[in-house]
């Protein structure tokens, strides 16, 4: 007795049956979701073509089958396909979000040791020359770590007040390092401390302003951080009067990371706006929906 693999006729028949089955279900899905106008036009031209090549009766049967499928199963099948597409899209977005969070964690892992080592070295230097100032930097470092570590772990939404506390501690440390070359100002609208805001985004903008704006400038400059509510939006802005921002140069990893996270968290409802003021420097503004925790 021959097996399927040993019987070429049976093997060919099974292959044909499988191909017909695949084609039928593709036709079924198409007929179920295609608009009525498109179905009518397609059927009309298909009937004309079928008449020329002598398969008119077969095409009539296919047109009737398409009409029946569209009438009976159209709504249900369309809903199933839309649900399947939504699930696939959600899975892709979930994977993208996880990848983005992994990239952020990797970026943070590269930045934090460098900042910590420099701060500890600064404390060591100040202990020999200015013990009171060394104690102040040490206290700011503790505040920074207390604010930063929970946000790094959660990789999601925190409170605006937490973000501002983190940036204030960071700027105090950088001010001790840069001395008179760095001045800063923080303004938060009344009642906004409890507003939801993505973790580490303000910090990224502040670090970007110092690295690319103020540190390359001999005399340094000033950083201003502000948060205001505009109707149903929360605007958080970081501006500096440093070297400025070249709009013709590709954004760095930090700013790109902010854009991608905003897209993942809010879709088209959030944005990162970069401006170059007439008087010089740069301005970075995150606009997100206002939500109070």
């Amino acid at each position: 007795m021959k097996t399927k693999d040993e019987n070429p006729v049976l093997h060919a028949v099974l292959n044909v049956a499988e191909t017909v089955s695949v084609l039928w279900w593709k036709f079924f899905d198409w007929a179920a979701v295609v608009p009525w106008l498109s179905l009518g036009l397609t059927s009309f031209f298909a009937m004309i073509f079928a008449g020329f090549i002598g398969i008119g009766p077969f095409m009539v049967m296919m047109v009737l089958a398409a009409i029946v499928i569209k009438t009976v199963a159209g709504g249900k099948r369309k809903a199933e396909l839309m649900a399947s597409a939504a699930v696939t899209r959600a899975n892709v977005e979930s994977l993208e979000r996880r990848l983005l969070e992994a990239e952020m964690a990797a970026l943070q892992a590269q930045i934090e040791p460098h900042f910590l080592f420099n701060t500890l070295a600064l404390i060591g230097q100040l202990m020999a020359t200015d013990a009171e100032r060394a104690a102040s930097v040490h206290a700011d470092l503790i505040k920074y770590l207390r604010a930063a570590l929970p946000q790094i772990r959660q990789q999601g939404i925190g409170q605006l007040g937490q973000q501002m506390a983190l940036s204030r501690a960071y700027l105090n440390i950088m001010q001790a390092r840069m001395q008179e070359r760095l001045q800063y100002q923080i303004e938060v609208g009344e009642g906004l401390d409890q507003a939801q805001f993505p973790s580490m985004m303000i910090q990224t903008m502040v670090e970007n302003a110092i690295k690319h704006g103020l540190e390359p400038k001999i005399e340094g400059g000033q950083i201003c951080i502000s948060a205001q509510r505009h109707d149903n939006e929360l605007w958080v802005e970081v501006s500096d009067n440093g070297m400025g921002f070249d709009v013709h140069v590709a954004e760095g990893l930090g700013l790109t990371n902010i854009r991608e996270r905003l897209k993942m968290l809010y879709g088209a409802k959030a944005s990162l706006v970069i401006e170059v003021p007439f008087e010089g420097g740069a301005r970075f503004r995150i606009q997100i929906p206002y939500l109070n925790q």
Side-chain angles (χ1 to χ4, degrees):
M1 182 176 180
K2 294 183 178 180
T3 64
K4 183 181 78 171
D5 292 336
E6 295 172 343
N7 190 329
V9 175
L10 178 60
H11 188 64
V13 170
L14 291 175
N15 283 339
V16 171
E18 183 178 356
T19 302
V20 170
S21 176
V22 171
L23 292 175
W24 165 253
W25 285 112
K26 287 185 176 181
F27 172 75
F28 184 95
D29 289 339
W30 172 82
V33 300
V34 68
W36 279 107
L37 179 60
S38 298
L39 178 60
L41 291 174
T42 303
S43 299
F44 176 74
F45 289 111
M47 291 285 289
I48 294 176
F49 179 74
F52 281 119
I53 62 176
I55 58 171
F58 172 77
M59 188 56 63
V60 170
M61 292 178 57
M62 295 301 294
V63 170
L64 292 176
I67 294 174
V68 172
I69 292 171
K70 179 68 176 173
T71 303
V72 176
K76 181 180 178 181
R77 187 57 179 166
K78 184 176 182 180
E80 290 175 350
L81 292 175
M82 291 178 63
S84 177
V87 171
T88 301
R89 185 167 58 253
N91 290 336
V92 170
E93 290 178 354
S94 177
L95 291 174
E96 290 178 347
R97 186 178 294 109
R98 291 179 183 178
L99 176 60
L100 193 60
E101 291 174 354
E103 291 176 349
M104 181 183 175
L107 175 64
Q108 201 67 35
Q110 296 174 4
I111 294 174
E112 290 303 319
H114 178 74
F115 171 71
L116 290 176
F117 291 148
N118 285 343
T119 303
L120 291 174
L122 174 64
I123 293 174
Q125 294 173 5
L126 291 175
M127 287 180 63
T129 58
D130 190 339
E132 184 176 349
R133 194 173 171 196
S136 177
V137 175
H138 179 261
D140 286 323
L141 178 59
I142 293 175
K143 293 178 183 177
Y144 175 84
L145 293 175
R146 282 177 177 171
L149 292 179
Q151 297 183 47
I152 294 173
R153 292 192 185 103
Q154 68 188 26
Q155 302 288 349
I157 303 294
Q159 294 182 338
L160 182 62
Q162 296 173 333
Q163 321 299 315
M164 292 299 183
L166 174 66
S167 295
R168 188 185 301 275
Y170 175 82
L171 286 168
N172 284 339
I173 294 172
M174 294 303 299
Q175 196 172 51
R177 184 187 303 174
M178 298 175 65
Q179 300 181 16
E180 68 277 0
R181 295 181 61 239
L182 172 61
Q183 302 296 322
Y184 75 87
Q185 181 179 1
I186 297 178
E187 299 178 354
V188 180
E190 184 177 356
L192 294 181
D193 283 343
Q194 303 301 314
Q196 294 183 14
F197 198 83
S199 61
M200 303 306 295
M201 283 194 183
I202 299 176
Q203 181 64 17
T204 299
M205 292 192 296
V206 170
E207 291 174 0
N208 186 81
I210 290 180
K211 180 179 179 180
H212 300 288
L214 301 188
E215 282 189 334
K217 193 175 180 180
I218 296 176
E219 65 273 25
Q222 183 180 34
I223 289 179
C224 295
I225 306 176
S226 66
Q228 300 294 331
R229 181 179 177 181
H230 293 261
D231 297 326
N232 294 322
E233 286 191 336
L234 176 62
W235 291 16
V236 176
E237 188 173 283
V238 175
S239 60
D240 67 79
N241 60 351
M243 299 297 290
F245 182 86
D246 190 346
V247 295
H248 302 292
V249 176
E251 295 178 357
L253 182 59
L255 297 179
T256 300
N257 183 276
I258 289 178
R259 289 194 189 278
E260 293 299 325
R261 288 184 64 206
L262 288 176
K263 182 180 178 181
M264 289 293 106
L265 293 171
Y266 304 104
K269 297 180 180 179
S271 60
L272 170 63
V273 179
I274 301 177
E275 300 175 339
V276 180
F278 179 77
E279 62 274 14
R283 183 182 299 120
F284 305 89
R285 183 172 65 251
I286 292 176
Q287 301 174 192
I288 64 172
Y290 173 76
L291 297 172
N292 203 326
Q293 289 188 342

